[in-house]
Amino acid sequence: MTPSSKFPYPPFDLATRVAKLPSNDFAGFIHYEMAGRELRQALIDLLPDRYELAGRRVLDFGSGSGRTLRHFASEAETGGDYWGIDIDAPSVTWMQQNLCPPFNARVCGTAPPVAFESESFDLIWALSVFTHLTEHSAEWLLELHRVLKPDGLMIASYMGRWNSETLAHEPWDETRIGMNVLQHDRPWDRGGPVVLMSDWWIEEHWGRAFDLVDRRPRVFNQTWQLLRKRDVSITPDELMAPASCDEREMRALRHNLIQLQREATRLRDEVEAWQENVAEVQRSLSWRMTAPLRRARGVIGRSD
Ligand SMILES: C[S@@+](CC[C@H](N)C(=O)[O-])C[C@H]1O[C@@H](n2cnc3c(N)ncnc32)[C@H](O)[C@@H]1O
């Protein structure tokens, strides 16, 4: 019996939107199952030795339809209070219908606040979420800080070092990446925006609200950071403000501009290539010969 065999799997579209599945069949869902188990194990490996998960209040921020959360059923059933939240209403509805109880699930907005009382969670994780948050990233980090208990722990993943070639089409260079945003308006269902972060930037900025306790490189091609809430009150602007004495801050901003210019050029080239294809079709003999049919369809369409 698998740890989560008592739960059904979500429909393919919900399962594959959090990480692309190879196929919509048994093999695809084995992949989903194994990834969830590995994510659970990676969380446990990064928590402090002998960290007790039973009896805790835990939040999976950006849970999707519970790929990771579903593997904590035994803890949730034995006195734990385990929550998943996500902006995607179909994913959350599916969780509510299929995983709750023992879990709890709630939809949240794209920006905070979230309807949880302050200082109420022992542990929060956010896996592959800050990897996509753009203008609300600092607000969310501080919202999670608010709902964590004093000294509460958080595990958050970020990407950059292991993904630069694939996502930014350039070799990784730590000194020119801070929090660099690409594909800003890409919809979630096509993977969402891409946020590249470097270790020094995390230390400088997240370190203003959290102690950086431990870090694991390259877990699922991301860096996982274990954080402990610091007793500080800080605004999103203060968290994001560039460190004045670190020239990498300016370099990263300049480089983000270059990356965006490259992105714009690539898009323009794609649009031009597409327009050229359309023009070629329109010049073709078959297109010109079928023009009367298209005109007739237009007239019929207008008379409806
Ligand atoms: C790449 S998926 C990862 C899902 C899950 N953490 C996992 O590893 O299976 C990112 C998730 O974050 C969610 N998300 C994006 N913006 C969010 C926000 N502002 N608040 C909560 N969830 C958000 C998306 O809907 C999506 O389900």
Side-chain angles (χ1 to χ4, degrees), residues 7-301:
F7 302 122
Y9 292 106
F12 181 73
D13 59 322
L14 299 186
T16 202
R17 79 177 274 287
V18 294
K20 206 165 164 32
L21 291 190
S23 51
N24 180 8
D25 55 13
F26 185 71
F29 282 91
I30 288 283
H31 189 89
Y32 185 83
E33 170 73 17
M34 296 314 289
R37 288 192 201 192
E38 285 172 37
L39 289 162
R40 174 194 156 96
Q41 192 54 49
L43 284 165
I44 290 171
D45 289 347
L46 188 50
L47 285 167
D49 288 347
R50 293 183 295 282
Y51 185 85
E52 190 51 73
L53 280 163
R56 300 281 192 181
R57 190 161 198 238
V58 174
L59 174 61
D60 180 343
F61 172 63
S63 56
S65 43
R67 179 173 66 145
T68 307
L69 198 60
R70 58 190 286 135
H71 294 277
F72 288 85
S74 60
E75 289 85 357
E77 279 162 352
T78 51
D81 186 18
Y82 279 61
W83 283 84
I85 62 171
D86 202 286
I87 51 171
D88 188 52
S91 297
V92 172
T93 302
W94 185 88
M95 275 205 288
Q96 288 167 336
Q97 291 169 349
N98 295 281
L99 304 184
C100 303
F103 301 103
N104 299 291
R106 179 180 284 175
V107 176
C108 64
T110 51
V114 61
F116 288 125
E117 52 286 32
S118 298
E119 303 193 344
S120 59
F121 284 95
D122 298 286
L123 172 66
I124 298 176
W125 63 75
L127 307 180
S128 296
V129 185
F130 285 96
T131 45
H132 305 285
L133 295 186
T134 56
E135 51 267 57
H136 299 302
S137 180
E139 286 170 53
W140 270 116
L141 193 79
L142 294 179
E143 180 67 351
L144 301 180
H145 182 272
R146 177 184 73 77
V147 301
L148 266 181
K149 290 181 183 172
D151 291 332
L153 294 178
M154 176 152 92
I155 292 177
S157 69
Y158 57 94
M159 63 184 175
R161 180 180 295 275
W162 320 107
N163 330 78
S164 183
E165 301 275 357
T166 330
L167 299 177
H169 312 285
E170 63 181 16
W172 175 251
D173 177 352
E174 174 94 14
T175 66
R176 61 184 185 184
I177 304 294
M179 175 183 160
N180 292 29
V181 176
L182 299 171
Q183 313 239 17
H184 181 271
D185 295 314
R186 189 164 64 159
W188 265 104
D189 292 339
R190 285 199 280 124
V194 168
V195 179
L196 304 173
M197 290 165 155
S198 54
D199 296 346
W200 67 263
W201 192 92
I202 293 289
E203 284 157 22
E204 173 59 45
H205 293 269
W206 289 12
R208 295 174 189 177
F210 293 90
D211 290 325
L212 281 76
V213 182
D214 199 359
R215 173 191 294 154
R216 288 288 145 82
R218 206 158 200 183
V219 187
F220 281 74
N221 265 348
Q222 296 180 7
T223 303
W224 285 30
Q225 181 67 57
L226 173 64
L227 306 148
R228 177 173 278 114
K229 175 175 175 168
R230 286 178 52 204
D231 183 16
V232 292
S233 174
I234 176 173
T235 67
D237 283 349
E238 287 167 343
L239 189 114
M240 293 300 285
S244 54
C245 52
D246 192 337
E247 65 179 32
R248 288 174 300 187
E249 298 270 14
M250 186 53 77
R251 205 162 165 228
L253 289 173
R254 275 205 313 266
H255 189 63
N256 205 174
L257 191 60
I258 293 167
Q259 291 174 312
L260 294 176
Q261 285 164 341
R262 257 196 254 136
E263 196 171 280
T265 304
R266 255 198 314 276
L267 282 175
R268 195 201 53 213
D269 290 350
E270 278 173 28
V271 169
E272 282 176 5
W274 182 80
Q275 284 171 333
E276 184 47 41
N277 284 342
V278 170
E280 205 166 300
V281 170
Q282 289 176 338
R283 281 194 299 270
S284 70
L285 184 60
S286 56
W287 178 267
R288 281 183 281 129
M289 285 178 68
T290 51
L293 287 176
R294 283 192 302 281
R295 271 199 300 276
R297 206 178 58 192
V299 170
I300 293 166

